[in-house]
Structure formats: C-alpha cells, structure tokens
Amino acid sequence: MITMGFSIHNPTRLLSTASTTPFGPHQRRRLFLLLACGLLLLLLSAVLDQRWWLLPAALLQIGLGIWLWRAAAPVTDTSTQQAQQALQQIEQLELTRYRQLVQFANDIFSWHAADGSVLYISPNCRRLLGHEPAELLGQNLFRLIHPDDLANVHLARADLLAEGSPVPVTFRIANREGVWVWLEMFARLFQLGEGQTRIVGVCRDISLRRDAEALLRESERFKALFELARDGLLLVDAKGRVVEVNREAARELGYHRMHLIGMPLTNLLAPGNESSQVQRWSDYFQVIQSGQSDLQELSMLCADDHEKWLEALFSPITQEGRPLVLLAVRDISARRSGARQLQESLAALRVLHNRLYGIIEGSSDLIASVDNSFHLIAFNRAFKQTFEQHFRTPVELGVNLLSFVAHDPEQMAQSFLSWQRALSGEVFINIEPLMLAGATREFEVKYSPIRDEVGDVVGAAYIARDVSARLQTERELKLTLEKLDQARQDTENANQQLKLANRELMRQANQDGMTGIANRRYFDEYLAHEWRRAVRQHEPMALIFADVDFFKKYNDHYGHQQGDTCLREVAQALHSQLRRPADLLARYGGEEFVVLLPGTTLAGAMFIADAMRAAVEALKLPHAASEAAPHVTLSLGVASIVPCEAMAEGFLIYGADQALYIAKKSGRNRTHGNPL
C-alpha cells in the first residue's frame, strides 16, 4: 500500500495493541486463582448444603469484579479511542488517495442520479471536453451525445438499472467547440438505501483508437479493391520503383508479381517511348502529385520481350502517409488494331465515295434527295442546272422543293403526293414534264425511300431521266398500233377477244400462275392501299408470314413437280382459313406466303395463324426429309400494329419477318407473335 507520507505503517498491529489488558503474567495468574477459589466455595456450599459459605464466596466474587472494573475501565477507554483514531486516519488516507486518483487520472469519473443527471464529475472533463465541472453539475449529458448513439446509451442505462451488472457503452459526445469525441464508458450501479440509486461511470477517450480502426478498415478495403480490380494496378514511389502490383497487372505483363516489385517503371517501357514524360519520372511524379491525373497510351515490354499497347492512367494516391502514384493499365492492343483497320476502311470508303461522287456528278440523270420535311439534302450538277433552268430559282441545300411549284397549286399537290408516297416507303415511277429552253421535256422520275440502319425512312431519293425521245417513239408506235387496231375493228368478235385478253393479262399480272392466289406485286399495292386506310381510320393491321419447313429438301427428295403440287395444296389450305373479303393471301416468293389481315389485332392474327398451321398439318402431306415432322409443316411469324403517319408499311413487314425468324429458330412447325 502506498503511504503517501502517512506515519502509521501497520494499522493491524496498532489495533491489536489497543485491545489488550494492562495486566502482567503474575497478575493474570493471581486473578485466575482468586476466580477459581470463588467458584470452589460456591460449589461446596451447594454440595454440602453449607449456606454460610455463600457469603464469603459472594463477597469474594463481588470484590474481584469491582477491582477488575476499576483496573480495566481506563485502559479500555484509552484503547478504543486509539483504535477509532487509527481507523479515521486510514479512512482519511484512503479518501485522499481516491481523490488524487480521480483528479489526476486520464479518465473522467462521474457520479449520476438514476435519471442520468450529473452529481459529480472529475476535473479531467476540462481537458477532454473543454467544459468546467461546475457547468455540468445538475445537467443531463444526453443533450451532448450524438443523435445516432443516443439510443444505445439509453438502452445501456435501462439494462444497468434493470439488471445491475456493469455495462460498457461507446458513444460520441460534443466538446465545447462542437467537435465529436469518441468515449468508452464503464458504468456500475450503487444502491444507497431508502430507494436511492446512483450510477458511477468511468469514461475514456478512444478517438485515436477509433481513427486507427477506421484507417485499418480503409486500408483493408483498399487492399481488397486493389487486388480484385479488373484493370492492372501498380503503385509507384517517388523514385519510379514499383512497390505493389495486383494479379491482373502481373498477368497483363507476363511477370510474377514478386519480380515486378522493386523494378523501375522505365524498365517496362518499350523502345519508342523516349519522348514520354514517364522517362523524366521525378518531374512527372511532382506533376501527378499536384492532383493532375494523366491518361497515356504506352507500349510496354512483357516478360517474353514482346510489346503490348496499354492504356495507362496515372493518379496521385497516399498510402499510410506516403505519396505514391497509382498506375492503372488496360490492354488496348485490339482497340489500336481496330482503329488502324477503321482508318484503312475509312480511306477505302473515301475512295469509293469519290468514285461514286464522280459517277453521280458526271451522270446526265437528275439525282437529288430530300429529308422528311422535303428539304434538299443532296443533288448533282445535272439536277441543279435543269431545275434552275426550269424554275428560274437558285437550287441550294436546305431549300424546300415544294417552294419551286408554290405558284401552281395543282402541280404542288402532285409533287407533294409523290414525295409523300416515297417518304411512306413506296418505290414508284412517274412521268413528269419540265420546261427547258422553251420546250417541254418529259422525264421518267423514280421515287424511292431512304432508310437508316434500323430500316426507318429518313428521306426520299429522286432520280429523273430525260425520256422525251423514247416517249415520242412510244407514242408513234402507239399511234401505229391504234391504226392497226382500228383496222381490226371490223368485227365485234375481235373487240371482245381483245377485252378478254386484257382482262386475262390483268389477272395474270396480279395472280400467281402456279397457286392461283395473289402475287407479290398485287400484295405490295394492296398493302399500301390498306396501310393508308388504316392510318386514316386508326385501325390495327396484322401480317402473317408463312414458310414451308424444309421445302428445299422436299424438292430434292420428291422433285420440283411434286413440290409445285405441294405448294398449291398448302395455298388452298391457307386460303380456306380466311373469313373476310378484305383478308388477302399472296405468294411472297418461293415457298413463302403472306397474309394481310386489315382491322385485326395480334391475338386475332395469332388465332388465324394457328388455324392455318393446323390446316396444313391436317393435310398429312408426306415429307420424309423434314426435321420437324414426317409430313409437311409450316412456321409462321405474326405481327400487328396500328399505323400512323410517321410509319411505313415496311415496319410491319420487318416485324412479321423477325417473328418468322424466331419461329424457325425455335424448332419450326410453330407460330410466333411479335407485338409492335
């Protein structure tokens, strides 16, 4: 025990001395002898029934008691006083020691009521929190605790009051400047009686420990991210040496990671990087440390001495207070090769462009293109010269072509309809007159849509050729034919036969000769007509593409004649499932059929398509070469859309074709719908 200057070194001995009697050994023997004599007299008087012996025995005992009292009374009082003084000195010593421990300890000692109010707090709160102890007396420290930690503190106080066992709790508390200080508090419960409860707390500043733990977690997180990064990462010090490298960087360069650590970064640069700033590392390191990240493309040497192009990003970083450069590398060899090929392709494309430009510019045809708003986006020399000569107006890029005919409403309407048809996706040819040098020249004009990479119409092309001489020849020929025809009009039979011939010609022009259903040409016209009607009436329109599965193998196995018969039977089966006059079945080409269903949703079209597939399968036409079934089957693709002005019918065709492609890829002999 530390005495701290106190004069009593053995308080136990002092108490022992104060509690003993002042009698010596001889006096104690005499005292015991007298006591024995008194007791013997009392015993003999009781045994011998000699009552007169009781008097001297009683007198002896009384006298002995009076003597003992008189002799021992002052000694006992003195010993008790000395013992009490010793105990008071010990308690004062212990209290002084505890006060010194509380005042000079690094921790904060506090005494609280059950509600948390401060009854006492050690002076060390001045150093840790900046508050004077008197300022906190009677206050509740909950108002200074961080809101995120307040619930934990209340829970710990409730557990302490309920269970009584010591409770540790960690929280943040605001000092006088408003800075959060991390404290760890150990609390113990004391019962003072009469229902009074007190809490003793010892608080320790753990801010440095928390900061160290946060730095450790951050360091571990950095190491994990560094190692698991998909890019190659290297840490380079101020002397240009590699101090750390992850697995991806070692793999990119072909080295073992231990071989790279300590290697100068310049040793990894391939010849040809002499002008790179990396060669002057000291200056470059300072530039990077100033906060300027730098992205370069470097040719670096791998372990097998072959060169690899890497994209290198240099960034400043600090690790454990040490300034470093984080180098992130990524293989761009394929990208550079692709860029080189792209440059070569662009050069070839420029050559092709120049050739096409020369062809277009040297052509006598009038060639131009417009966007969706009828503004010129390209034209050749012949177009410019001819239109300027005809309309007496300069032709420039961005000019609205309809403005050339604004003075003639009828011609303007015709031009608008022609361009609108082309912008809706239609390809057609018109004969249009132009006035040149005071004479009318006739031009055969072909209008066609211009589509982007996804098939959307973004403009229209105009190609016109002077066919005045040809048309004149055709007119003369027609006149001659008319004269010949007039000569043949001698009889009514000749005229009737001519009408029948014309009707048959029209039928053949719109009908497939083998299957007897509509052909591709009639389908295109009908689709354009129905599309415009659906746009006006905002009605849905569905399209079905049907393809005979493995028909080439069918022809190879059964012969083309049997194949033609098969197509005719399939066409009849498909046509049998149509219920409305407006529905059209046409042969689209080869073994492919197309069905146009105006006013039909996707669900209705899917129902008809499934019925068509079942009807063909019900024919049970043998197909030994088919991989889908032992008989002839169909794959069908269905698409439906509500057309609008901004759409072209090609969008519906493309959707049904994609659905047919998916049906084939999914195993054939099935129907697939594509909602648009």
Side-chain angles (χ1 to χ4, degrees):
M1 178 182 294
I2 302 174
T3 61
M4 299 177 68
F6 198 78
S7 61
I8 299 177
H9 296 276
N10 197 338
T12 306
R13 182 178 177 183
L14 176 63
L15 291 173
S16 175
T17 304
S19 63
T20 58
T21 63
F23 303 122
H26 299 289
Q27 292 175 332
R28 286 197 294 269
R29 282 195 296 271
R30 292 173 186 173
L31 177 61
F32 290 146
L33 181 60
L34 291 174
L35 288 173
C37 291
L39 293 174
L40 181 61
L41 289 175
L42 290 175
L43 181 63
L44 290 174
S45 63
V47 172
L48 299 177
D49 197 16
Q50 298 294 328
R51 297 184 178 180
W52 60 270
W53 285 1
L54 293 174
L55 181 60
L59 293 174
L60 180 62
Q61 294 292 330
I62 292 171
L64 182 60
I66 293 172
W67 179 67
L68 287 174
W69 178 79
R70 290 174 62 86
V75 176
T76 303
D77 293 342
T78 303
S79 301
T80 302
Q81 291 176 0
Q82 291 178 351
Q84 290 177 350
Q85 291 176 359
L87 288 174
Q88 290 177 358
Q89 291 176 355
I90 293 173
E91 291 177 355
Q92 186 65 32
L93 174 63
E94 294 297 328
L95 182 60
T96 302
R97 290 174 179 170
Y98 286 139
R99 286 180 176 175
Q100 290 177 344
L101 285 174
V102 169
Q103 291 179 359
F104 297 106
N106 290 327
D107 299 337
I108 298 176
F109 294 85
S110 56
W111 182 258
H112 302 265
D115 62 354
S117 58
V118 178
L119 303 177
Y120 168 78
I121 188 166
S122 62
N124 196 34
C125 71
R126 185 184 302 111
R127 182 179 64 85
L128 293 183
L129 300 179
H131 295 284
E132 294 293 334
E135 297 176 358
L136 301 178
L137 293 180
Q139 300 293 324
N140 198 315
L141 297 183
F142 294 148
R143 62 185 179 83
L144 301 178
I145 296 176
H146 195 285
D148 294 344
D149 302 332
L150 195 57
N152 291 335
V153 175
H154 283 303
L155 183 61
R157 184 174 69 90
D159 292 342
L160 178 63
L161 295 175
E163 301 177 4
S165 57
V167 176
V169 61
T170 302
F171 56 90
R172 286 163 288 182
I173 190 169
N175 62 13
R176 181 179 288 276
E177 287 76 19
V179 178
W180 296 110
V181 179
W182 277 99
L183 295 181
E184 184 179 49
M185 181 178 185
F186 295 90
R188 183 182 294 274
L189 191 68
F190 283 89
Q191 300 290 345
L192 302 182
E194 299 180 359
Q196 294 188 5
T197 302
R198 295 292 183 266
I199 299 174
V200 175
V202 181
C203 295
R204 179 174 301 164
D205 185 1
I206 60 170
S207 299
L208 294 178
R209 189 183 77 189
R210 296 286 297 195
D211 293 342
E213 291 174 352
L215 288 175
L216 179 60
R217 289 193 298 270
E218 186 66 25
S219 176
E220 292 175 350
R221 244 189 331 263
F222 173 78
K223 290 179 180 178
L225 293 174
F226 184 84
E227 192 61 33
L228 298 176
R230 299 182 62 181
D231 291 338
L233 299 177
L234 302 93
L235 291 178
V236 187
D237 62 9
K239 296 183 179 180
R241 297 173 302 189
V242 178
V243 297
E244 187 57 77
V245 61
N246 68 351
R247 287 178 294 183
E248 183 62 22
R251 186 192 65 80
E252 287 284 1
L253 297 173
Y255 287 93
H256 190 278
R257 61 192 305 176
M258 298 307 297
H259 292 166
L260 287 172
I261 296 177
M263 180 184 295
L265 181 62
T266 54
N267 290 2
L268 294 173
L269 298 181
N273 290 290
E274 291 77 7
S275 61
S276 173
Q277 292 178 305
V278 181
Q279 296 288 358
R280 300 179 295 279
W281 180 255
S282 298
D283 298 336
Y284 189 62
F285 182 82
Q286 296 300 326
V287 173
I288 297 300
Q289 288 302 318
S290 66
Q292 299 180 8
S293 298
D294 186 29
L295 182 65
Q296 298 188 29
E297 292 185 359
L298 298 175
S299 177
M300 306 189 75
L301 283 176
C302 297
D304 55 0
D305 291 334
H306 84 274
E307 297 183 14
K308 178 182 286 188
W309 278 97
L310 299 176
E311 184 180 67
L313 176 62
F314 295 85
S315 304
I317 191 173
T318 301
Q319 188 179 35
E320 299 177 357
R322 181 185 182 188
L324 300 171
V325 169
L326 176 64
L327 172 58
V329 296
R330 180 180 298 174
D331 186 3
I332 58 171
S333 301
R335 190 179 77 186
R336 286 182 64 90
S337 176
R340 185 173 59 254
Q341 294 177 1
L342 178 61
Q343 292 296 331
E344 294 174 355
S345 299
L346 289 175
L349 186 60
R350 281 192 292 269
V351 172
L352 179 60
H353 174 268
N354 292 334
R355 290 177 180 176
L356 290 175
Y357 180 78
I359 294 173
I360 293 174
E361 280 296 300
S363 175
S364 60
D365 292 345
L366 281 58
I367 303 175
S369 59
V370 299
D371 60 14
N372 288 325
S373 301
F374 312 111
H375 292 93
L376 272 174
I377 57 177
F379 54 85
N380 67 349
R381 184 183 296 107
F383 179 89
K384 177 179 175 65
Q385 293 175 350
T386 303
F387 267 62
E388 288 181 347
Q389 185 178 1
H390 176 72
F391 292 106
R392 308 291 182 179
T393 304
V395 176
E396 298 176 352
L397 292 177
V399 174
N400 192 316
L401 275 185
L402 297 181
S403 64
F404 288 103
V405 292
H407 61 281
D408 189 345
E410 183 178 356
Q411 188 176 0
M412 184 177 181
Q414 292 177 354
S415 298
F416 175 80
L417 291 176
S418 298
W419 286 111
Q420 191 62 38
R421 288 176 60 188
L423 291 173
S424 65
E426 187 177 353
V427 179
F428 60 95
I429 296 175
N430 278 347
I431 301 297
E432 298 180 358
L434 290 176
M435 182 68 69
L436 300 177
T440 300
R441 307 292 297 177
E442 293 179 302
F443 287 82
E444 182 182 68
V445 183
K446 181 178 181 180
Y447 292 89
S448 59
I450 299 175
R451 302 181 184 274
D452 59 11
E453 60 275 7
V454 297
D456 294 335
V457 177
V458 295
Y462 173 97
I463 302 176
R465 176 173 297 176
D466 188 353
V467 292
S468 301
R470 192 192 75 187
L471 291 179
Q472 181 62 29
T473 303
E474 290 179 354
R475 290 192 192 95
E476 293 175 356
L477 179 59
K478 183 179 180 181
L479 183 58
T480 303
L481 291 175
E482 288 177 353
K483 291 179 180 180
L484 292 174
D485 188 56
Q486 184 66 31
R488 294 176 182 178
Q489 288 183 357
D490 296 335
T491 63
E492 187 177 355
N493 292 335
N495 290 332
Q496 185 65 28
Q497 289 178 1
L498 184 58
K499 291 180 182 179
L500 293 175
N502 289 334
R503 188 179 298 114
E504 180 64 19
L505 182 62
M506 183 62 67
R507 185 190 66 80
Q508 292 178 0
N510 295 329
Q511 188 178 35
D512 181 59
M514 183 180 68
T515 60
I517 61 177
N519 59 14
R520 171 72 174 274
R521 176 178 175 276
Y522 183 73
F523 168 76
D524 290 339
E525 294 178 354
Y526 190 74
L527 174 60
H529 176 268
E530 289 296 323
W531 184 272
R532 291 191 296 273
R533 187 182 63 82
V535 169
R536 291 192 303 271
Q537 299 180 3
H538 302 288
E539 292 182 350
M541 176 182 291
L543 189 69
I544 302 174
F545 268 127
D547 187 82
V548 180
D549 294 330
F550 302 104
F551 188 72
K552 184 178 182 305
K553 293 184 178 181
Y554 187 93
N555 277 337
D556 295 341
H557 188 271
Y558 295 99
H560 289 278
Q561 186 175 0
Q562 185 62 31
D564 294 345
T565 303
C566 173
L567 290 179
R568 282 191 289 271
E569 295 188 22
V570 168
Q572 293 175 3
L574 295 177
H575 192 270
S576 66
Q577 301 303 315
L578 299 180
R579 298 291 184 266
R580 300 178 304 175
D583 298 340
L584 176 68
L585 170 66
R587 186 181 178 191
Y588 201 72
E591 69 276 12
E592 194 171 18
F593 297 89
V594 63
V595 181
L596 181 62
L597 302 172
T600 304
T601 61
L602 181 63
M606 288 291 293
F607 177 81
I608 295 175
D610 286 333
M612 288 181 171
R613 186 188 62 79
V616 171
E617 195 167 15
L619 296 176
K620 298 296 182 181
L621 299 176
H623 191 348
S626 174
E627 298 177 12
H631 49 268
V632 173
T633 58
L634 285 183
S635 295
L636 300 99
V638 185
S640 179
I641 194 172
V642 178
C644 64
E645 290 288 350
M647 294 181 183
E649 54 264 32
F651 188 65
L652 179 61
I653 295 175
Y654 176 79
D657 187 61
Q658 287 297 108
L660 175 61
Y661 175 79
I662 294 174
K664 290 182 178 181
K665 285 295 183 181
S666 302
R668 302 181 186 259
N669 191 21
R670 65 193 62 227
T671 302
H672 182 80
N674 186 11
L676 300 178

